[in-house]
């Protein structure tokens, strides 16, 4: 990864950090398969190199009012500064970024 790309990663990481510091907001909608929980963390389309996604296949949300949504357990979640819980999250490299690197290397060779 180039120094320029590392600077972009730092900026994208800071965007996630800033949302987490300000407070992650949840929006709950319903669907035929059950409730859908969305949040205000940056999405893959908001960043060029990295994005954040759930680290676990099981979901466990616990909200300020005490309600719980998900098929997971407490162990599948992380405690947020405001006392709410959400599924553990991990940073992922965008697949488009990886493909661009591969294509660039192939053109160079």
């Amino acid at each position: 990864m180039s120094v320029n790309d590392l600077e972009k990663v730092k900026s994208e990481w800071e965007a996630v950090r800033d949302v987490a510091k300000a407070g992650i907001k949840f929006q709950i909608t319903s669907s035929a398969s059950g409730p859908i929980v969305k949040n205000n963390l940056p999405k893959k389309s908001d960043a060029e190199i990295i994005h954040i996604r759930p680290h676990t296949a099981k979901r466990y949300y616990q909200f300020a009012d005490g309600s719980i949504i998900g098929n997971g357990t407490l162990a599948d979640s992380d405690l947020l500064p405001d006392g709410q819980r959400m599924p553990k999250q991990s940073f992922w490299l965008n697949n488009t970024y990886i493909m661009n690197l591969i294509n660039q290397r192939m053109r160079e060779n």
Side-chain angles (χ1 to χ4, degrees), residues 18 23 34 36 51 59 61 66-67 72-73 81-82 89:
D18 293 346
I36 297 172
H51 63 284
R59 300 180 321 143
Y61 293 92
S67 63
T73 65
D82 64 3
Q89 303 288 304

Side-chain angles (χ1 to χ4, degrees), residues 18-62:
D18 293 346
V19 170
K21 278 185 171 182
I24 297 174
K25 308 289 185 243
F26 297 104
Q27 179 183 17
I28 303 166
T29 58
S30 58
S31 73
S33 61
I36 297 172
V37 181
K38 294 185 179 183
N39 61 56
N40 62 331
L41 288 166
K43 298 166 191 49
K44 178 184 170 192
S45 59
D46 298 327
E48 187 178 333
I49 300 176
I50 62 171
H51 63 284
I52 192 164
R53 298 178 43 133
H55 183 78
T56 177
K58 303 228 177 195
R59 300 180 321 143
Y60 185 91
Y61 293 92
Q62 185 173 11

